Structures are given as structure tokens and as C-alpha cells.
């Protein structure tokens, strides 16, 4: 029979979601024990590193909370069996990337890690366990998890085990994860068992007002998560498409954003034009929706959502083309400084970062690029640009020729402007707002170009430094106006 009193929590997956989510829960619920487990020993070792600047994830406010909870009521380990065995509730927070092979390749989510997690729960759990989908999943995945768990209940040696499956998608954004978890807009709990839903909501009620806790059926909860990401990504593709129109008509996308954002029906958030959205989820979740629509024969719906991803790819591509065009049609052997490699500021995550494709394009055009990022590890850049998985070979990661053509180097500091032809800002790290462009200009090859894909550089400081300037969605450059 079900026991809805929760004392022990297990989270399978110690990534960008599992780690911060359980840390905040452990901080808010000191009476509960949280065991976060992962198959990656390297990741768990980093979570347990005494040096808090070596945690596997950089997230503002995270290390302060880890300091208060780790080895008190929050434990990171690879002992998956024990953590599941003792758990009253198991959160599945494993990765769900887009499939790269087989049926649905390129669109459907690869559920092999979710299935493996469900099988682990089916094998090791004792008594009654609430199983929570925290990962973002295709609609009706809960059915698959339920089937796996049910089949284990019928095994003779598993008598007395029982399960409830809930959907509780995570809406945190990287870079603001701690604040998002502490002050969520809503907590969504989908399921069909009231006791289990209430038991889960009780954890959240420790710090979230009950008005913000929404109960839905399980399929609505799964679909709402995909829909939220699709709507957010759609806004970015919309504003980036308008930025391109601004550049050729003399309009300014910042003014357009401000003007439309004042309409309370539209709202002002997520209207910042950029080099295109990155991150591990927007593209994968939209493609998942596209797959779902195609599967059910809704081709027009699939086409509508796929266009959001297409515009994003086109927009990233147009930025690298534009840099080449402005530099007299060739970047061969020209030094170009890249400011920022993560997909947004305040995270070390580079997954699907616009910087990856843009840097690859410039290297393929023969540029010698120097990349600076305050938090991204050069070994990660090596992996992103060259597909080299060796995380140890730092020497190699410092400089690597790609396709025998251009090259890239990484720099930890900003003394990198000597002899460069252009600077391309790709991530909105706050330290880039304080660059002294007058001093930088003295070091650059003339005519020097600054490209700002995030609108954080003051155009006047660039003008005073006598540099050429391109800013996303800025139509003030007469040369581009096509009338
Ligand atoms: P991640 O890749 O950072 O972490 C997933 C972890 O799960 C990895 O460390 C991996 O080793 C581990 N893992 C995989 N299979 C396992 C198994 N069988 N047993 C134990 N550990 C296992 O991924 P993430 O960014 O944390 O995302 C996880 C899920 O949350 C995804 O579905 C994602 O769509 C969703 N999500 C992510 C974010 C975000 O900001 N990153 C936000 C909301 C939702
Ligand atoms: C996004 C959602 O915001 C979260 O709610 C969701 O939980 C998460 O995806 C997920 O499911 O993984 P995240 O990708 O971490 O969070 O970060 P965002 O702040 O949404 O930014 C995504 C991308 O959009 C970044 O590249 C960012 O630079 C870009 N962006 C964002 C813009 O280009 N313009 C904007 O106005 C806002």
C-alpha cells in the first residue's frame, strides 16, 4: 500500500537539472535526505570536490547552497542501487537528447537513458515508490515508464513493491537556475493518483505558495513543458527575423522590441535579438513536437514549428556570412577575437551555442580565431569545434587546426586584441560591457570591426574609438539599406 510520507529522495541524473534542483530542495527541506546519483563517476567526483569552484556546473548561487547542504542532507554518489532502495520518491533527471540514428532520427528524443533509469527503479526499489519524470519527455512517456515498472511488480521476488508515476517538468533556465527554483512561476504536477500528487506538492509547499502549484493530467503536463519551450524559442526566432528586416530598412530592433513589449498581451520578456537561441533544450524540444505532429499526421503543425528551428539556423549562418562580407569578402589568415562561447551568460554550458557554428564557419573560411569565455573550459571548446572527446589533453585544446585551414586558440584573459581585424561578441557576459574600446582600437588592424550580436556594447564608445560597428538588428548602417 502506498505510504505518502516522504523522507528519502533519490534523483537519477546529476546534471544541469538534477544537481541544482536537488540542492535547492535540500536547502529548503532540511528534514529530508536527498541522494543524487549518476553513472558518471567523473561528474559525481566533481560534485563532491572540496574546491567549490570545481563543481561540474557553474551557476550563480549554487556553490553557496552546496556548502550549506552537501554531506548534511544532500549526498552525491554513484551508488544508484542503494539510493533507489531507500527512496520514497525517485526523480528521473537524465538526459533526453535528439536521436541521431534509427527511426525518428534528427527529431525524436532518445529515451534510452530514461528507460534505463526506469529499469533501475523497477529492479532496486522497495515498498511503495513515487516515480517522477523531471526530464523533458515526449507526450505519453509516462506510459512506457509505467509499463516497465508494472512488469517488475509481477515478478515473484518483487512482491510488495508498487509505484505511482508523476510528471513534474522543470522550467529552470541556466544562469538563473537557483532563483528560478527558489521563486518559480509555477510548479506543474501531472498524474492520476491524488495521494502521490499531494505528497510531491508537499515538498514544494515548503517554499512555494500553493496557488502556484498546478495539478493536471499527466499528458497535459508532458505536453505543457514542450509547449512552453516551443513558445519561448518561437519568440526568439520571431524577433531575430525582425532584426534582419530592421537591418535592411533602417529600423532598430531594440526600438521595435520596446514598442511591442509595452503591449501587455505580448509582454517585454524574450524579445532580445541575439546570435540565435542555443542551449540543450529549445531545438530538441521543438523537434520533438515536430516529430509528434508528424506522427499524428499533422504535417502543417509540424511545418509551423520546424520553421522556428530553420530561422534560428539561418540567422546563425547569416552572422558568419556577414562578418566575412564586412571584412572585404575574406577572413583568411585574419585574426578575429570571439567574446563568449557559452550559449548565454552565467553558465559554462555550450550545448547548441550559436558560437559553435559561427566559429566553425569562420575557421573554415581560414580565420585565426581567439576565443575568450570566463567560464567555459577550453577542452569543451575542443570537443565542440573538433569533436575530440579527450578532456585531458589541454595542450591540444589550446590550439587546433580544423580541416587544415583556419585555427583557434583559447585565452583566459582579455589581452588578445593585438593585430586583430575584428571582434565578434557572441555571449552577453557582463565583463564585456566594460571593455575600453579606445585602448582596444589602438591594437587592432585598421579598419577594425566590432560585431555585437547581443547589443551590450555602447555604440558611442565604438564610434569614439573610430572603429566600424555592426550590431544585430541595427538599421542605422546606410550601406545596408536597400531602398
Ligand atoms: P545533463 O546531460 O546535464 O545531465 C543528465 C545526467 O544524467 C548525466 O550526468 C548522465 O550521466 C546521467 N545519466 C544518464 N543516464 C543515467 C542512468 N541510467 N543512471 C544514472 N545517471 C544517468 O542533462 P540536463 O541538462 O540536466 O537535462 C536533463 C533533463 O532535464 C533533460 O530531459 C532536459 O531536457 C531537461 N531540462 C533541462 C534543463 C536545463 O536547463 N539544462 C531545464 C529544464 C529541463
Ligand atoms: C530554457 C527555458 O527558458 C527554461 O524555462 C527551460 O526550463 C529550459 O530552456 C529547458 O527546458 O532546458 P535555457 O535554455 O537554460 O532555458 O535558457 P534561456 O534563458 O531560455 O535561453 C535560451 C537561449 O535563448 C539562449 O541562447 C539565450 O541567449 C537565447 N535568448 C533568450 C535570446 O536570444 N533572446 C532572449 O530574449 C532570450
Amino acid at each position: 500500500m502506498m505510504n505518502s510520507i516522504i523522507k528519502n529522495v533519490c534523483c537519477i541524473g546529476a546534471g544541469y537539472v538534477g544537481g541544482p534542483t536537488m540542492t535547492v530542495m535540500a536547502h529548503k527541506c532540511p528534514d529530508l535526505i536527498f541522494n543524487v546519483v549518476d553513472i558518471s563517476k567523473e561528474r559525481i567526483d566533481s560534485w563532491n570536490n572540496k574546491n567549490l569552484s570545481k563543481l561540474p556546473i557553474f551557476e550563480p548561487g549554487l556553490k553557496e547552497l552546496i556548502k550549506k547542504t552537501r554531506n548534511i542532507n544532500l549526498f552525491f554518489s554513484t551508488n544508484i542501487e542503494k539510493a533507489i532502495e531507500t527512496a520514497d520518491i525517485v526523480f528521473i533527471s537524465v538526459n533526453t537528447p535528439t536521436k541521431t540514428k534509427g527511426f525518428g532520427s534528427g527529431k525524436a528524443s532518445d529515451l534510452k537513458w530514461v528507460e534505463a533509469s526506469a529499469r533501475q527503479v523497477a529492479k532496486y526499489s522497495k515498498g511503495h515508490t513515487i516515480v517522477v519524470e523531471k526530464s523533458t519527455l515526449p507526450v505519453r512517456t509516462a506510459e512506457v515508464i509505467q509499463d516497465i515498472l508494472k512488469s517488475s511488480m509481477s515478478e515473484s521476488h518483487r512482491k510488495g513493491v508498487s509505484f505511482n508515476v508523476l510528471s513534474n517538468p522543470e522550467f529552470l533556465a541556466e544562469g538563473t537556475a537557483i532563483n528560478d527554483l527558489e521563486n518559480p512561476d509555477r510548479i506543474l504536477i501531472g498524474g492520476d493518483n491524488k495521494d502521490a500528487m499531494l505528497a510531491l506538492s508537499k515538498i514544494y509547499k515548503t517554499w512555494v505558495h500553493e496557488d502556484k502549484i498546478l495539478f493536471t493530467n499527466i499528458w497535459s503536463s508532458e505536453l505543457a513543458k514542450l509547449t512552453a519551450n516551443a513558445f519561448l524559442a518561437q519568440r526568439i526566432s520571431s524577433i531575430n527575423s525582425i532584426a534582419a528586416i530592421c537591418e535592411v530598412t533602417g529600423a532598430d530592433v531594440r526600438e521595435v522590441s520596446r514598442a511591442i513589449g509595452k503591449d501587455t498581451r505580448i509582454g517585454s520578456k524574450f524579445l532580445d535579438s541575439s546570435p540565435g537561441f542555443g542551449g540543450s533544450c529549445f531545438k530538441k524540444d521543438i523537434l520533438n513536437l515536430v516529430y509528434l505532429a508528424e506522427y499524428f499526421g499533422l504535417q502543417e503543425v509540424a511545418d509551423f514549428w520546424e520553421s522556428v528551428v530553420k530561422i534560428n539556423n539561418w540567422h546563425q549562418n547569416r552572422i558568419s556570412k556577414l562578418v566575412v562580407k564586412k571584412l572585404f569578402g575574406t577572413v583568411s589568415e585574419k585574426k578575429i577575437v570571439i567574446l563568449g562561447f557559452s550559449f548565454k551568460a552565467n553558465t559554462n554550458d555550450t550545448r547548441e551555442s550559436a558560437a559553435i557554428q559561427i566559429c566553425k564557419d569562420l575557421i573554415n573560411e581560414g580565420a585565426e580565431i581567439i576565443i575568450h569565455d570566463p567560464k567555459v573550459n577550453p577542452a569543451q571548446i575542443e570537443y565542440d569545434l573538433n569533436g575530440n572527446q579527450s578532456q585531458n589533453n589541454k595542450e591540444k585544446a589550446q590550439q587546433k587546426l580544423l580541416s587544415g585551414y583556419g585555427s583557434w586558440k583559447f585565452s583566459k584573459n582579455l589581452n588578445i586584441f593585438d593585430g586583430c581585424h575584428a571582434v565578434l561578441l557572441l555571449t552577453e557576459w557582463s565583463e564585456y560591457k566594460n571593455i575600453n574600446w579606445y585602448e582596444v582600437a589602438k591594437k587592432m588592424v585598421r579598419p577594425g570591426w566590432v560585431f555585437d550580436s547581443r547589443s551590450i556594447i555602447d555604440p558611442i564608445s565604438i564610434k569614439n574609438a573610430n572603429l566600424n560597428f555592426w550590431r544585430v538588428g541595427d538599421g542605422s548602417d546606410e550601406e545596408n539599406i536597400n531602398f
Side-chain angles (χ1 to χ4, degrees):
M1 273 316 283
M2 188 184 151
N3 163 22
S4 57
I5 297 170
I6 293 174
K7 285 225 165 289
N8 287 295
V9 179
C10 165
C11 175
I12 305 180
Y16 283 85
V17 166
T21 308
M22 293 301 124
T23 304
V24 168
M25 281 189 181
H27 184 235
K28 298 289 182 188
C29 308
D31 296 337
L32 306 186
I33 301 293
F34 293 81
N35 286 300
V36 185
V37 289
D38 204 290
I39 37 173
S40 164
K41 184 174 177 312
E42 197 186 342
R43 220 167 206 190
I44 291 297
D45 287 348
S46 306
W47 281 110
N48 283 324
N49 201 311
K50 283 204 175 93
N51 179 349
L52 290 174
S53 62
K54 298 239 161 97
L55 294 176
I57 289 167
F58 170 73
E59 193 59 63
L62 178 65
K63 65 179 180 190
E64 289 78 3
L65 292 187
I66 288 278
K67 204 171 166 186
K68 290 181 184 165
T69 50
R70 195 175 61 186
N71 298 330
I72 296 171
N73 68 329
L74 173 68
F75 302 90
F76 292 94
S77 119
T78 50
N79 194 340
I80 299 173
E81 178 174 345
K82 189 168 158 232
I84 294 176
E85 223 176 71
T86 54
D88 305 303
I89 187 163
V90 176
F91 289 87
I92 298 179
S93 296
V94 297
N95 36 322
T96 51
T98 305
K99 273 180 91 172
T100 52
K101 280 189 206 142
F103 299 122
S105 165
K107 284 185 185 149
S109 285
D110 193 339
L111 295 181
K112 73 176 174 204
W113 292 275
V114 172
E115 184 180 334
S117 304
R119 289 189 186 281
Q120 285 163 329
V121 179
K123 191 167 170 192
Y124 301 128
S125 63
K126 294 214 163 127
H128 186 80
T129 310
I130 299 173
V131 180
V132 183
E133 297 175 339
K134 193 50 134 171
S135 297
T136 303
L137 297 167
V139 185
R140 299 201 82 86
T141 305
E143 216 165 35
V144 175
I145 296 177
Q146 252 153 6
D147 283 352
I148 292 170
L149 298 174
K150 246 193 220 158
S151 61
S152 84
M153 283 162 64
S154 61
E155 289 171 27
S156 55
H157 67 285
R158 302 283 290 139
K159 285 223 167 75
V161 296
S162 58
F163 306 96
N164 286 123
V165 179
L166 301 178
S167 160
N168 172 223
E170 185 47 61
F171 295 98
L172 69 81
E174 289 177 31
T176 53
I178 303 300
N179 184 52
D180 296 344
L181 288 161
E182 289 183 335
N183 305 293
D185 285 344
R186 77 310 211 175
I187 297 294
L188 181 54
I189 299 176
D192 58 10
N193 183 290
K194 212 173 155 198
D195 282 344
M197 292 163 87
L198 287 174
L200 175 57
S201 73
K202 210 174 152 200
I203 297 182
Y204 285 110
K205 274 189 198 162
T206 320
W207 77 97
V208 181
H209 193 277
E210 62 185 336
D211 290 353
K212 287 190 172 177
I213 302 180
L214 311 181
F215 296 108
T216 65
N217 81 36
I218 202 155
W219 321 122
S220 305
S221 173
E222 289 175 334
L223 184 57
K225 171 64 196 177
L226 295 181
T227 308
N229 274 0
F231 269 56
L232 290 168
Q234 172 272 122
R235 275 174 80 93
I236 302 166
S237 280
S238 298
I239 203 66
N240 282 338
S241 72
I242 297 299
I245 297 184
C246 288
E247 287 166 29
V248 291
T249 56
D252 183 329
V253 76
R254 285 146 293 271
E255 293 178 351
V256 175
S257 290
R258 199 168 77 231
I260 64 167
K262 288 281 177 201
D263 186 326
T264 51
R265 293 167 304 173
I266 295 174
S268 61
K269 292 185 181 163
F270 264 69
L271 288 179
D272 293 331
S273 188
S274 64
F277 60 76
S280 61
C281 296
F282 278 177
K283 186 170 158 195
K284 116 174 136 59
D285 293 348
I286 293 179
L287 292 176
N288 200 335
L289 207 55
V290 169
Y291 181 74
L292 191 75
E294 279 175 351
Y295 180 84
F296 287 106
L298 302 167
Q299 195 54 49
E300 286 75 7
V301 177
D303 293 345
F304 172 74
W305 287 111
E306 195 163 13
S307 71
V308 172
V309 175
K310 281 187 180 158
I311 283 282
N312 199 52
N313 294 340
W314 168 81
H315 182 68
Q316 291 177 5
N317 191 254
R318 100 182 168 89
I319 290 184
S320 23
K321 277 193 179 144
L322 189 137
V323 172
V324 175
K325 188 175 160 214
K326 297 280 188 196
L327 296 181
F328 306 111
T330 175
V331 290
S332 181
E333 294 182 18
K334 287 181 182 165
K335 186 172 154 187
I336 298 178
V337 167
I338 302 291
L339 297 179
F341 199 83
S342 56
F343 79 97
K344 63 186 280 197
N346 295 319
T347 176
N348 60 345
D349 195 347
T350 65
R351 289 177 290 181
E352 298 292 337
S353 175
I356 299 173
Q357 195 51 48
I358 293 173
C359 288
K360 279 185 179 173
D361 288 346
L362 294 174
I363 293 168
N364 279 326
E365 287 293 319
E368 291 168 7
I369 64 174
I370 302 193
I371 302 169
H372 174 271
D373 189 288
K375 292 291 171 196
V376 176
N377 182 331
Q380 182 61 46
I381 300 177
E382 161 74 3
Y383 174 70
D384 290 332
L385 295 182
N386 300 319
N388 186 342
Q389 297 220 34
S390 153
Q391 297 280 315
N392 301 324
N393 197 345
K394 279 198 183 157
E395 239 349 86
K396 211 170 166 194
Q398 296 292 322
Q399 180 154 27
K400 176 85 187 174
L401 289 175
L402 188 84
S403 327
Y405 207 16
S407 64
W408 71 272
K409 272 187 198 169
F410 178 78
S411 173
K412 263 190 181 158
N413 59 57
L414 282 170
N415 298 325
I416 46 180
F417 300 102
D418 272 321
C420 77
H421 290 250
V423 179
L424 171 55
L425 187 147
L426 293 177
T427 314
E428 71 282 22
W429 287 101
S430 60
E431 58 212 86
Y432 300 149
K433 292 179 187 162
N434 304 322
I435 291 175
N436 182 337
W437 291 104
Y438 188 77
E439 289 304 317
V440 169
K442 289 184 196 164
K443 299 177 180 165
M444 290 177 71
V445 174
R446 293 307 178 106
W449 271 95
V450 176
F451 299 90
D452 180 6
S453 69
R454 295 282 186 174
S455 304
I456 64 164
I457 298 175
D458 173 16
I460 296 172
S461 66
I462 299 288
K463 204 177 165 199
N464 291 343
N466 258 321
L467 290 166
N468 289 320
F469 190 46
W470 173 87
R471 195 161 60 138
V472 68
D474 187 344
S476 64
D477 182 351
E478 296 287 327
E479 253 185 43
N480 294 332
I481 298 174
N482 280 346
F483 287 110

